[in-house]
């Protein structure tokens, strides 16, 4: 909706010149229920075995989950305190999508779950993260 579109516009400004932009991430949908980001995986995202580097996939999970927390707590500063990643299948070049949903909230810590799939819907990576509200 309109609220999601506003968030996408703000994110675009916020991400300018950051690791998010360097990696090539883009927000697809920033709704309260779930956050979706995408990456067009190119040869520079691959490792020596011609599969997407694990660091790229972990960054996608972290970014999608962090964005979900930012969306739930607008204007608050947050940091990742824990990131668990399971690489369940190799990912190749093409469009990769990460979907994140908040699993639990406490006073200062938010636990989020996310997954990365390829264009065919094949699951490649799953993870959870903990995020701390700093203020």
């Amino acid at each position: 909706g309109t609220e999601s579109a506003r968030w996408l516009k703000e994110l675009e400004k916020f991400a300018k010149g950051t690791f998010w932009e360097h990696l090539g991430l883009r927000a697809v949908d920033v709704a309260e229920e779930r956050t979706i980001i995408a990456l067009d995986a190119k040869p520079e995202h691959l490792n020596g075995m011609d599969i997407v580097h694990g660091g790229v996939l972990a960054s996608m999970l972290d970014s999608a989950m962090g964005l979900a927390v930012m969306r739930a707590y607008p204007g608050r500063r947050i940091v990742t305190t824990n990131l668990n990643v399971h690489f369940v299948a190799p990912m190749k070049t093409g469009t990769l999508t990460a979907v994140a949903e908040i699993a639990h909230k406490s006073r200062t810590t938010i636990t989020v779950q996310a997954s990365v799939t390829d264009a065919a819907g094949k699951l490649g990576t799953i993870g959870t993260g903990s995020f701390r509200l700093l203020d």
Side-chain angles (χ1 to χ4, degrees):
T2 312
E3 184 69 11
S4 182
R6 187 181 67 74
W7 268 93
L8 291 174
K9 201 81 177 140
E10 283 296 311
L11 177 65
E12 221 171 79
K13 286 194 299 197
F14 184 72
K16 200 89 178 124
T18 67
F19 184 65
W20 169 282
E21 185 178 63
H22 177 73
L23 211 54
L25 298 173
R26 67 180 188 279
V28 175
D29 189 26
V30 187
E32 285 196 44
E33 318 75 61
R34 69 182 183 340
T35 297
I36 304 170
I37 66 169
L39 169 73
D40 293 321
K42 298 179 170 104
E44 59 264 28
H45 294 110
L46 304 180
N47 63 20
M49 296 189 313
D50 276 341
I51 58 176
V52 177
H53 191 286
V56 172
L57 296 168
S59 292
M60 283 188 76
L61 290 174
D62 185 37
S63 296
M65 291 188 284
L67 189 54
V69 177
M70 287 169 62
R71 177 68 176 87
Y73 296 89
R76 304 281 300 270
R77 293 181 312 136
I78 61 149
V79 292
T80 308
T81 56
N82 183 276
L83 182 64
N84 294 302
V85 181
H86 297 265
F87 303 104
V88 297
M91 301 272 89
K92 301 284 190 181
T93 55
T95 302
L96 303 179
T97 303
V99 179
E101 296 179 341
I102 291 176
H104 182 265
K105 299 176 190 177
S106 74
R107 197 172 49 76
T108 57
T109 304
I110 296 86
T111 305
V112 190
Q113 54 196 17
S115 61
V116 178
T117 54
D118 67 12
K122 180 178 106 180
L123 181 65
T125 310
I126 57 175
T128 56
S130 298
F131 297 80
R132 172 150 304 142
L133 297 171
L134 296 179
D135 48 22

